Amino acid sequence: MKDFDQFFRDRLDGERPFSRRDENWRQLSRRLEAFDSGIQDARPVSNIRRWTTLAWKVAACAAAAATIWVGVQNYSLRRQNVLLNELLTQIKAQQTNEPATPATQISPLEIAAIPDMQTHLLSSQNDMPLQGMESSVASSKSDSRSVPSENVSLYKPAPISPFAAGNALPVQPTITLPAQIDENVGKQAMVESARPATPAPQEGEMSEVSFVWEKLPIPDSILSRPITTTLAYGKASVPVLPELSIEAAKENPPPARLLTKPVKDVSRVRVGIQAVAGTATPAESGVSWHKGQSLTAEIRVWNQIWLGASADFVQFEIDADNNPDRFHLPEQMNPDPPGGPVSHHQYDLVRLQSEQRQRRFAAGVRYTLPVRGRITPSVQVGYVWAQMPASFVQYEFKKKPHGGGHPNPDPFDNKFFIRKTENHWEQNICRFGAGADYALGRWSLGLTAQYDKNFTNKDPLFDMLSFKLGASYQF
Amino acid sequence: MSYSDLDEILEGCRRSNRSSQYQLFSRFYNYAMSVAYRYVSNTEAAEEVTNDAFFKVFTKIHLFEPRDEGGFRAWLRRIVINTAIDRLRSSINAPATQEWRADMDSPMESGIVEQLTEEQIFSLLDQLSPAYRAVFNLFVVDGFSHEEIADTLGISIGTSKSNLARARSRLKTLLADELDLSYNV
């Protein structure tokens, strides 16, 4: 056992060469400067922690996007419910105020206002017999809902309404039960037409509206509302209509199925998430690419005009061997005394390092070019507010070999200065951009090039040429 | 560099002289990295441990009483080990559940592993769990007793012995696989 341990002790206890000594020293010296300046917790962010933080950022962005999506869905559903309630109320009013009206028709405008309903109604029109069918009740998909055909008569062939004319489709024929319908049959139809989750309506509650419900995407919560009781079915509310025979219905076969599918109604709101990569413009030596992510939200206000807002979170590093103009060293931090010829200075600035983060919030307008096809180019212009959180900027000075006319005996006598920049906001930034979207249904993939022009030249905010690649979802 | 040179460097470090700190860092960087690398087996993590350790050295330098270079090495080594253990503490304590039994230690044939290179040795060490690797390093390489290991890692002495035995056993198995030898553990 001793041999075993001794072997590992000899092999592992040696000193091995490792690289990156100077890089680690620079990182450590920054911490020491921060410590000496009284900033105790100025610990560097390790790469592992940085990736963990990035993962949490991505998760937070995804959670925020999901929350927004659920919120919009919820709002859309509530809006549909309200419209459906209004629709049912109107149907009820028509039934009550216009008993002589042969058919209870849903306003085309109302149908158009409810995209899903429109879709279902139109599709249901395809499923239901339109003219001359001997029993539109029996034509329902559910066999259990059938009513003896001899007790059901159809109203006269429906006229073409303006709405339906666009699709070359007759208006939905109204199903009207004859007044002399047998009470037992009415009871049967009433019970069988109720949905399973809907409480069985009482006797005499059934009306033709029930059949419309069968084709609507109405939640049970609505169907179970007392409206069913107000739409009372009975001899008083059902108009007496001329009876059509089955033979007459057979002579008028139903028209061809609808070929034109209803257009999906797309919301005006669009949200997206993008990856951002940008570079300082004009190129600055030692300034890395700006990398980060972006969240966008847009609303279409008119045809191809979109109003939008975006939040870009980018970060970049500066590791320069000169002093970029936007990171000028305060005079009091210069190791050489102010004034005097440069040849008498004892120190040279040899390195400037900093990790910078920026949050760019923009509001603007985007115009999509009216181009046919899946690819939609667009141009945009906006105004940007940039937040620059507090950061550290390290200046490293190296003593000249013969600074000030005297030889320097200590080659390690470098001086490090740490400057902490305060959190501040920058304005006067305009954004110009152009891009293209590739539509995939409600989703779209987009690539955008943007140029942020900072019209205030004295602050440490570079002009940035950035590229955004990401996905958007239109509700 | 003689000890007087090191003494001057340490004196400069006490005055927070950046040049002295750089010289001390440069001089012991490889040593500290070697110690840290044995515990974390990852260069990037070892760099972070080393930087943390040197940060402690420079901010606690007034606690070190100068004796000789060996004394400073031992002090630095202890700081690096403690820093690495702090980093690995959560993973070290997790699997330490089984108490040691006398039959866990097994003899080993000598002379079969002399041909292994340093890279192979470290790759074997990498395959140990953090708990086993820490105990093995502390006991075999750094010369800690089981009482000190138990105190450092916050585990029982029996667990320390168990982890050491299992680390040895695991290493022997890995060695056998590495050398492609039929090996009776």
Side-chain angles (χ1 to χ4, degrees):
Chain A
M1 188 58 61
K2 284 185 179 178
D3 290 342
F4 183 83
D5 290 354
Q6 187 64 42
F7 167 77
F8 277 97
R9 187 179 301 119
D10 294 341
R11 293 299 185 96
L12 295 175
D13 203 19
E15 187 172 320
R16 306 169 61 203
F18 286 91
S19 60
R20 287 173 47 83
R21 185 183 66 181
D22 289 342
E23 288 84 350
N24 283 305
W25 166 248
R26 279 194 288 274
Q27 192 179 37
L28 179 61
S29 65
R30 279 203 297 268
R31 293 178 62 185
L32 292 170
E33 285 289 344
F35 181 82
D36 293 343
S37 304
I39 307 168
Q40 299 285 339
D41 54 349
R43 296 172 60 86
V45 179
S46 69
N47 287 337
I48 295 173
R49 196 181 308 167
R50 184 176 298 141
W51 282 109
T52 305
T53 305
L54 180 61
W56 278 110
K57 282 181 181 177
V58 171
C61 290
T67 302
I68 293 172
W69 183 80
V70 169
V72 171
Q73 290 291 322
N74 188 27
Y75 172 77
S76 176
L77 183 61
R78 285 176 179 274
R79 184 166 164 268
Q80 283 188 17
N81 283 344
V82 169
L83 291 174
L84 286 170
N85 278 333
E86 292 175 356
L87 180 64
L88 293 175
T89 304
Q90 189 173 353
I91 292 172
K92 169 197 163 189
Q94 285 180 355
Q95 287 248 319
T96 305
N97 299 331
E98 301 174 12
T101 302
T104 302
Q105 297 186 5
I106 303 171
S107 166
L109 292 178
E110 291 169 336
I111 297 175
I114 311 172
D116 290 342
M117 181 179 174
Q118 178 184 350
T119 303
H120 283 264
L121 272 179
L122 290 174
S123 62
S124 67
Q125 286 173 338
N126 293 332
D127 296 336
M128 297 180 67
L130 299 178
Q131 295 182 28
M133 293 299 291
E134 60 185 13
S135 172
S136 58
V137 178
S139 67
S140 175
K141 290 178 179 178
S142 172
D143 293 333
S144 64
R145 201 175 293 127
S146 62
V147 176
S149 60
E150 59 272 20
N151 293 318
V152 179
S153 61
L154 292 176
Y155 185 59
K156 61 185 178 181
I160 305 297
S161 73
F163 166 69
N167 286 324
L169 175 72
V171 171
Q172 164 71 38
T174 303
I175 306 151
T176 307
L177 300 179
Q180 64 271 24
I181 187 169
D182 184 84
E183 189 164 343
N184 291 332
V185 174
K187 183 178 179 181
Q188 178 188 357
M190 172 193 69
V191 172
E192 291 178 351
S193 64
R195 288 187 171 192
T198 305
Q202 298 302 314
E203 186 175 358
E205 290 179 355
M206 190 60 190
S207 76
E208 62 273 24
V209 179
S210 299
F211 300 108
V212 178
W213 287 351
E214 296 299 327
K215 302 298 179 183
L216 293 179
I218 305 174
D220 288 340
S221 59
I222 291 180
L223 291 177
S224 61
R225 288 183 181 181
I227 189 69
T228 57
T229 60
T230 61
L231 297 175
Y233 159 75
K235 294 180 179 179
S237 59
V238 177
V240 178
L241 300 172
E243 192 168 353
L244 291 179
S245 64
I246 295 175
E247 288 71 19
K250 288 180 178 177
E251 291 174 358
N252 298 313
R257 296 179 67 86
L258 185 63
L259 297 179
T260 306
K261 289 188 176 181
V263 178
K264 286 184 179 178
D265 186 36
V266 180
S267 166
R268 296 169 176 268
V269 180
R270 184 173 102 145
V271 297
I273 183 168
Q274 295 92 22
V276 182
T279 180
T281 307
E284 294 274 359
S285 173
V287 179
S288 72
W289 275 75
H290 299 47
K291 291 176 287 188
Q293 51 276 340
S294 173
L295 298 174
T296 59
E298 291 181 311
I299 182 168
R300 184 163 56 87
V301 293
W302 185 69
N303 286 347
Q304 281 88 29
I305 304 294
W306 294 74
L307 289 182
S310 68
D312 302 350
F313 306 91
V314 298
Q315 61 183 19
F316 60 97
E317 296 177 354
I318 300 172
D319 189 356
D321 55 2
N322 58 357
N323 189 8
D325 293 337
R326 295 176 186 270
F327 286 88
H328 61 86
L329 181 70
E331 191 61 39
Q332 66 272 17
M333 298 183 72
N334 198 321
D336 287 315
V342 177
S343 59
H344 286 187
H345 286 183
Q346 295 192 2
Y347 290 90
D348 284 332
L349 178 66
V350 294
R351 187 176 293 273
L352 184 146
Q353 290 180 298
S354 180
E355 290 183 3
Q356 296 279 314
R357 289 177 295 143
Q358 291 179 1
R359 302 178 185 123
R360 295 181 180 234
F361 303 96
V365 60
R366 187 168 67 93
Y367 176 72
T368 58
L369 303 180
V371 176
R372 287 183 177 273
R374 286 180 175 269
I375 298 180
T376 307
S378 62
V379 292
Q380 60 180 284
V381 62
Y383 188 82
V384 178
W385 295 265
Q387 183 198 12
M388 304 184 68
S391 64
F392 292 101
V393 183
Q394 174 183 287
Y395 303 87
E396 181 178 355
F397 289 89
K398 186 176 182 62
K399 201 167 187 176
K400 294 178 179 178
H402 298 282
H406 303 287
N408 178 16
D410 190 354
F412 296 102
D413 193 14
N414 289 5
K415 285 189 178 298
F416 295 85
F417 294 97
I418 302 287
R419 182 163 70 100
K420 181 183 179 183
T421 62
E422 300 297 331
N423 176 45
H424 62 288
W425 287 81
E426 300 293 347
Q427 299 183 20
N428 295 327
I429 307 165
C430 287
R431 171 172 292 178
F432 310 95
D437 287 339
Y438 182 78
L440 295 169
R442 289 175 181 260
W443 287 93
S444 62
L445 302 178
L447 175 63
T448 307
Q450 294 178 337
Y451 177 66
D452 288 1
K453 173 62 180 172
N454 181 12
F455 288 100
T456 306
N457 285 321
K458 60 184 180 182
D459 57 52
L461 186 73
F462 298 107
D463 295 345
M464 184 172 75
L465 175 63
S466 61
F467 300 93
K468 289 183 178 180
L469 176 63
S472 299
Y473 181 80
Q474 188 167 352
F475 294 97
Chain B
M1 184 179 285
S2 65
Y3 174 68
S4 60
D5 296 330
L6 178 64
D7 198 29
E8 289 179 7
I9 293 173
L10 292 175
E11 191 59 35
C13 291
R14 290 191 187 90
R15 297 193 305 270
S16 298
N17 181 283
R18 199 67 74 227
S19 173
S20 300
Q21 291 173 338
Y22 176 74
Q23 290 183 62
L24 190 72
F25 181 85
S26 302
R27 184 168 174 176
F28 292 100
Y29 174 77
N30 286 338
Y31 177 72
M33 279 291 293
S34 300
V35 175
Y37 188 77
R38 278 193 283 115
Y39 284 86
V40 294
S41 292
N42 175 292
T43 305
E44 188 175 82
E47 288 177 353
E48 292 177 5
V49 168
T50 300
N51 269 19
D52 285 348
F54 270 107
F55 185 77
K56 292 176 184 175
V57 166
F58 292 140
T59 54
K60 307 289 184 185
I61 191 69
H62 58 281
L63 299 178
F64 174 69
E65 294 184 359
R67 290 173 302 212
D68 52 19
E69 181 167 344
F72 178 77
R73 273 181 175 267
W75 189 61
L76 174 63
R77 182 192 193 104
R78 185 63 193 244
I79 289 177
V80 173
I81 291 172
N82 285 344
T83 305
I85 295 297
D86 286 342
R87 183 186 180 88
L88 299 172
R89 191 173 297 282
S90 59
S91 54
I92 284 176
N93 289 335
T97 55
Q98 186 170 354
E99 294 292 306
W100 173 80
R101 302 190 314 271
D103 59 349
M104 284 181 169
D105 275 341
S106 56
M108 177 199 172
E109 297 172 11
S110 60
I112 64 168
V113 293
E114 297 297 333
Q115 54 189 296
L116 287 178
T117 65
E118 195 172 65
E119 286 71 23
Q120 287 174 307
I121 298 291
F122 273 100
S123 73
L124 294 178
L125 207 61
D126 287 349
Q127 299 177 56
L128 295 180
S129 71
Y132 294 169
R133 188 170 62 231
V135 172
F136 184 82
N137 273 317
L138 288 170
F139 186 87
V140 174
V141 184
D142 294 316
F144 282 48
S145 66
H146 281 299
E147 288 77 9
E148 290 174 316
I149 294 173
D151 186 52
T152 301
L153 299 182
I155 58 178
S156 68
I157 295 175
T159 302
S160 173
K161 291 180 179 178
S162 169
N163 284 358
L164 177 62
R166 287 175 175 275
R168 282 174 173 153
S169 174
R170 175 76 176 144
L171 278 175
K172 289 171 187 173
T173 305
L174 294 171
L175 274 172
D177 294 341
E178 187 75 22
L179 298 173
D180 198 20
L181 294 175
S182 57
Y183 189 80
N184 295 322
V185 179

